Amino acid sequence: MGLLVAALLQATSVCAEPAWLDYKLARPDGSHISYRLLSRQPATQPTTLLVAIQGSDCNSVAHNQAIQQHLINVLPAADVLVVEKYGLDATLPHSNSPERPDCPAPYLHHDNPIQRTRDLSAVIADLLRTQGYRKIVAVGGSEGATVAMLLAANSSHVDATIAFSGGGRWFRDDLTHSVMASDMPAAQKPRAAQGLTQLAQKIVHTPMPDLRMSNHGESWWKGMLGLDMLAVLQTVRTPVLLIQGGRDDDASPQAALALVAQLHQAGQRNVDYLPYPTLDHRLAAPDKTSRFAEVVKDMNVWLRRQGF
């Protein structure tokens, strides 16, 4: 009997483990937003929702290890929401290829930071209606940082925002920074940076419906290049934490620092800045050891200071 009871208790414990559940919500154009919800305490009324926002890759958020291993620990007791980009779902195999040939056409045509913000806002509004969350925190890295800040600016429901590895005011500055930080011979870098700047200007001002570059289409490139993150953050009144690694080769640490300085000079005191001088874009140290878990602990400390 004792063995039977022990087996039953073990089975109950396994069943009680929180699991991701998949949902869909209709868009006005007839397509569907796919999203996943992790309910930490399904037997009780949830109070806090953590919105974890992936970066710029052409991959399903269902396969995102940074979220599943690290970002869910930003608020360990909160429910966690992840929302797929337009045209993506868990059936798309994970790939690290910078130019994967199987990016779905709807994703390449529709995905951009504004679309992602609209989708997140729609899902959050629906969950507030059905679940009754009292506090919402948004956290994202790289492009996810941009989307998190846009969400804070465009939604009255977000109570705090954490954006890491997001760079500064203009995406074009991050593009130039990535060239100058690359392994390209030093003599070639200025010309390459100039060429990239000219291409960015062409993308902004010229219709390019067939553009396919770095797993993104015209809509994404025009959207990212057109954003002024200083203007975005100036409309946010809730607490914001910006985190930037000093060895980031993709997003400019100098531009991030300048953005924060501009906000503070304008008298905006809701934005905190936490630099990690030795960490790279993925929050790894010079020896390639991940410091992601340590940064997540600091995120949690900051949130506790904000009353979460």
Side-chain angles (χ1 to χ4, degrees):
M1 181 65 72
L3 290 175
L4 178 59
V5 171
L8 287 172
L9 288 174
Q10 183 178 11
T12 302
S13 176
V14 170
C15 292
E17 285 294 316
W20 292 95
L21 298 177
D22 297 305
Y23 300 91
K24 291 186 182 296
L25 183 68
R27 290 192 185 93
D29 66 0
S31 64
H32 287 85
I33 306 168
S34 298
Y35 68 94
R36 311 185 87 208
L37 187 65
L38 178 65
S39 297
R40 300 292 186 93
Q41 302 173 20
T44 62
Q45 180 68 30
T47 60
T48 304
L49 180 66
L50 178 67
V51 184
I53 307 171
Q54 75 184 105
S56 64
D57 53 334
C58 176
N59 278 301
S60 168
V61 73
H63 307 314
N64 190 292
Q65 294 301 306
I67 290 176
Q68 295 178 18
Q69 295 178 7
H70 297 294
L71 290 186
I72 64 169
N73 298 317
V74 170
L75 283 173
D79 285 3
V80 184
L81 169 68
V82 295
V83 176
E84 293 278 15
K85 300 176 185 181
Y86 198 115
L88 300 187
D89 59 38
T91 63
L92 181 68
H94 182 82
S95 171
N96 291 321
S97 172
E99 296 289 351
R100 65 183 300 177
D102 58 344
C103 272
Y107 161 82
L108 291 168
H109 183 68
H110 292 283
D111 177 61
N112 64 67
I114 301 301
Q115 180 65 55
R116 294 187 68 188
T117 303
R118 289 196 193 108
D119 287 351
L120 282 160
S121 297
V123 172
I124 289 170
D126 192 61
L127 288 176
L128 285 172
R129 179 179 60 82
T130 59
Q131 302 295 326
Y133 295 107
R134 295 200 292 271
K135 290 186 176 182
I136 295 179
V137 175
V139 57
S142 193
E143 181 197 328
T146 299
V147 177
M149 290 183 276
L150 284 170
L151 184 63
N154 289 279
S155 173
S156 60
H157 302 308
V158 177
D159 299 289
T161 305
I162 301 174
F164 62 95
S165 303
R169 180 177 182 178
W170 300 106
F171 180 53
R172 62 173 180 261
D173 293 334
D174 295 324
L175 294 176
T176 300
H177 171 74
S178 67
V179 171
M180 301 306 291
S182 70
D183 295 332
M184 183 184 301
Q188 298 178 16
K189 290 182 179 181
R191 179 175 292 183
Q194 182 181 17
L196 192 56
T197 298
Q198 292 171 346
L199 175 59
Q201 291 174 344
K202 182 178 180 181
I203 291 172
V204 170
H205 298 292
T206 307
M208 302 179 70
D210 297 326
L211 178 65
R212 300 290 183 269
M213 186 166 62
S214 299
N215 289 326
H216 296 295
E218 177 190 33
S219 180
W220 187 90
W221 281 100
K222 286 185 182 296
M224 288 294 293
L225 289 166
L227 284 174
D228 178 350
M229 298 313 298
L230 176 61
V232 169
L233 284 171
Q234 284 177 328
T235 68
V236 179
R237 296 294 175 261
T238 50
V240 176
L241 176 63
L242 300 182
I243 293 174
Q244 185 63 52
R247 294 178 55 256
D248 193 328
D249 288 345
D250 295 305
S252 170
Q254 295 78 19
L257 184 59
L259 173 62
V260 174
Q262 288 174 299
L263 290 166
H264 288 176
Q265 288 168 5
Q268 197 159 346
R269 295 291 177 256
N270 62 310
V271 179
D272 292 328
Y273 182 58
L274 184 57
Y276 291 84
T278 64
L279 301 190
D280 65 13
H281 193 66
R282 298 181 181 275
L283 306 179
D287 63 358
K288 306 301 181 183
T289 302
S290 175
R291 294 288 188 265
F292 211 139
E294 297 168 28
V295 176
V296 164
K297 289 180 182 178
D298 291 340
M299 293 177 184
N300 180 264
V301 169
W302 180 83
L303 283 169
R304 289 205 304 267
R305 288 204 297 266
Q306 312 308 315
F308 289 86

